[in-house]
Amino acid sequence: MPEGYDKYAFEPFAVAVDLAVFTVREGLLQVLLVERGQAPWAGHRALPGGFVRPAESAESAARRELAEETGLAGALAEAVHLEQLATYSAPDRDPRMRVVSVAYTALVPDLPEPRGGGDAARADWVAPAAAGPLAFDHAQILADARLRIGAKLEYTCLATEFCPPRFTLGELQQVYETVWDTRLDRPNFRRKVLATPGFVEPVPGAARLTGGRGKPAALYRAGPATALHPPLLRPEGRP
Amino acid sequence: MPEGYDKYAFEPFAVAVDLAVFTVREGLLQVLLVERGQAPWAGHRALPGGFVRPAESAESAARRELAEETGLAGALAEAVHLEQLATYSAPDRDPRMRVVSVAYTALVPDLPEPRGGGDAARADWVAPAAAGPLAFDHAQILADARLRIGAKLEYTCLATEFCPPRFTLGELQQVYETVWDTRLDRPNFRRKVLATPGFVEPVPGAARLTGGRGKPAALYRAGPATALHPPLLRPEGRP
DNA sequence: CCAAAAGTGTTTTTGCTACACCCATGC
DNA sequence: GCATGGGTGTAGCAAAAACACTTTTGG
């Protein structure tokens, strides 16, 4: 680009962010979706998102939108795991103008009801299978995000992001079982998790909690580790 | 965005692609870099790249730039492994205007000399450590790309992308050793690779080849598999 | 007492590591 | 012959799968 380049010479690009915010609720992996009130794709569900402002990065925009859509307070919103997924740039993905969208994946624990914020009518937790046709290329983004999460559970400590600050190993196992849609052997799962230094730490004050009937479970919190060595492979070769 | 939104109201964004093209040459992992002839960052090396045109996607732009910079013919350029890495969007990453860059990673076998094409003076293969300070945030992009490649060798069949169409298991092992900067046990490596269905296939016509002295090695080609189950973990916990 | 969920122990199997060893070629 | 790189065999160890079993709660 030469010095005297005219930055207004071309049809301009807009840069947006789209968010795939996941949680585990009622034994299902659910995603936060908004209902579009206006054309195009009026009446369809869509991923929450918005445009990147002139002075902010895509990551900042994503975190701002996340706070708006989930209604989380600032300090809480900053603790949420947010990760860039991919960028979608097909020339015709938005009929209004050329929009390049940077998609992010966020993982949150089971929150109180989401607040519909910003320009979107309301935001709801929906199981991806029951979402119906999505606006734009959001079905593709959602599918990519789902694949990525499943893969990352294998070799990172990401699963704890779905859990509240204090959780039981049973809850953690349910996260894996929900995301992978498999059953895991409890004794073996337990050993694997506890054998990985820094994955989870026991809460020292002998605290316990019961999820109904059954023996009370010990409480853990997320540890400082971020990677899982060796990985926790999902059973895949077996029926 | 309301219907009557003025697409020219804001300072426009430009969308670019940057390419981290890797190869394994002379026992080193090398990357394709161009030398910048003009400000900003004149005289510094940079990743090859360019702007996304109004009618193309970022992926198309990346493939176009790849063909231009490497001088590969069309059919060959399409076979090259090209993968989106991440998008870099810090507001001040380019002093001229707001540029959001979608970075791609490409893996190519040891090619004949690269051709300097397009607006860049010339392109050269350089070992990342010997590249000197890079323009813009390209050092960050390069570091991210390097990490990603190392990780992907563990659980994908990507290593074959560094090899010519017909290769020996010794060459494949050298790819791993070069990227990971470790030594691997030949018998065990061999077994792992051959035990993974679809990773490599023997070239049936008992073809062989010698890289100098020593026993001639059997030739293989890349198989249809794309993932590695179980993964080929790099020795990391051991001295 | 029974069901349900947490937690412990044990056996079997698998896969990986680390070597030792043979084969074919150039010098 | 000998150095060099390709290819095969094998013993030992360690992790993981499968499953039996005990513990502690609610009804």
Side-chain angles (χ1 to χ4, degrees):
Chain A
M1 188 165 73
E3 267 300 319
Y5 185 83
D6 176 9
K7 53 174 84 163
Y8 296 95
F10 284 128
E11 178 85 358
F13 284 72
V15 178
V17 293
D18 285 311
L19 294 169
V21 187
F22 289 96
T23 196
V24 172
R25 275 168 76 89
E26 302 157 8
L28 286 172
L29 181 67
Q30 304 195 359
V31 65
L32 194 64
L33 295 178
V34 299
E35 186 144 352
R36 286 187 60 81
Q38 32 189 308
W41 298 97
H44 288 75
R45 292 194 201 261
L47 298 174
F51 289 94
V52 177
R53 296 178 181 163
E56 71 184 357
S57 67
E59 159 118 22
S60 303
R63 212 164 271 285
R64 176 174 51 74
E65 293 287 343
L66 179 66
E68 288 175 13
E69 302 289 349
T70 60
L72 288 171
L76 239 102
E78 284 176 32
V80 168
H81 178 88
L82 184 71
E83 174 182 315
Q84 192 180 309
L85 173 66
T87 296
Y88 297 81
S89 62
D92 56 352
R93 60 182 293 282
D94 189 320
R96 295 168 295 184
M97 70 177 289
R98 187 70 202 269
V99 179
V100 169
S101 180
V102 187
Y104 283 80
T105 302
L107 269 40
V108 301
D110 192 350
L111 297 167
E113 277 308 301
R115 189 194 68 184
D119 50 358
R122 27 179 297 137
D124 289 300
W125 293 115
V126 182
L134 297 188
F136 307 108
D137 52 3
H138 289 188
Q140 182 65 53
I141 299 177
L142 186 51
D144 291 347
R146 228 185 145 319
L147 273 179
R148 173 97 132 238
I149 290 178
K152 282 213 128 189
L153 285 200
E154 289 193 338
Y155 58 95
T156 70
C157 300
L158 223 57
T160 55
E161 304 290 339
F162 282 118
C163 297
R166 301 282 183 271
F167 54 89
T168 68
L169 293 186
E171 290 170 329
L172 186 64
Q173 184 176 346
Q174 272 202 29
V175 168
Y176 276 90
E177 293 184 334
T178 302
V179 175
W180 287 348
D181 194 25
T182 23
R183 313 249 71 199
L184 299 174
D185 182 75
R186 184 159 30 81
N188 293 335
F189 176 82
R190 172 181 205 74
R191 260 187 294 269
K192 269 296 275 180
V193 170
L194 294 178
T196 304
F199 190 1
V200 300
E201 318 182 315
V203 174
R208 348 201 100 212
L209 166 144
T210 171
R213 56 197 178 294
K215 180 175 175 176
L219 285 178
Y220 294 83
R221 60 163 170 264
T226 171
L228 226 49
H229 275 290
L232 189 66
L233 297 174
R234 83 185 98 179
E236 152 264 357
R238 242 162 334 98
Chain B
M1 187 165 74
E3 267 302 318
Y5 185 83
D6 175 9
K7 54 175 83 165
Y8 296 95
F10 284 128
E11 179 84 358
F13 285 72
V15 178
V17 293
D18 285 310
L19 294 169
V21 187
F22 289 97
T23 195
V24 172
R25 275 168 77 90
E26 303 158 7
L28 286 172
L29 181 67
Q30 304 196 358
V31 65
L32 194 65
L33 295 178
V34 299
E35 185 144 351
R36 285 187 61 82
Q38 32 188 307
W41 298 97
H44 287 75
R45 292 194 202 262
L47 299 174
F51 288 93
V52 177
R53 296 177 181 163
E56 71 185 356
S57 68
E59 159 117 22
S60 303
R63 214 164 270 285
R64 174 174 54 73
E65 293 287 344
L66 180 66
E68 288 175 13
E69 301 289 349
T70 60
L72 288 170
L76 239 101
E78 283 175 34
V80 168
H81 177 88
L82 184 71
E83 173 183 315
Q84 193 181 310
L85 173 65
T87 295
Y88 297 82
S89 62
D92 56 352
R93 60 181 295 281
D94 189 319
R96 295 168 295 184
M97 69 177 290
R98 187 72 201 268
V99 180
V100 169
S101 180
V102 187
Y104 283 80
T105 302
L107 270 40
V108 300
D110 193 350
L111 296 169
E113 277 308 301
R115 189 193 68 184
D119 50 357
R122 28 179 297 140
D124 289 300
W125 293 115
V126 183
L134 298 188
F136 307 107
D137 51 3
H138 289 188
Q140 182 66 53
I141 298 177
L142 186 51
D144 291 347
R146 227 184 148 318
L147 273 179
R148 173 98 132 238
I149 290 178
K152 283 212 128 188
L153 286 199
E154 288 193 340
Y155 57 96
T156 70
C157 300
L158 223 58
T160 56
E161 304 289 340
F162 282 118
C163 296
R166 302 281 183 271
F167 54 88
T168 68
L169 293 186
E171 290 170 329
L172 187 64
Q173 183 176 346
Q174 273 202 28
V175 168
Y176 276 89
E177 293 184 335
T178 302
V179 175
W180 286 349
D181 193 25
T182 24
R183 314 248 73 199
L184 298 175
D185 182 77
R186 184 159 30 82
N188 294 335
F189 176 81
R190 171 180 206 75
R191 260 187 295 269
K192 269 296 275 180
V193 170
L194 295 178
T196 305
F199 190 179
V200 299
E201 319 181 315
V203 174
R208 352 201 96 212
L209 166 143
T210 170
R213 55 197 178 295
K215 180 176 175 177
L219 284 178
Y220 294 84
R221 61 162 169 264
T226 171
L228 227 48
H229 274 290
L232 189 68
L233 297 174
R234 84 185 97 178
E236 150 265 358
R238 241 159 338 93

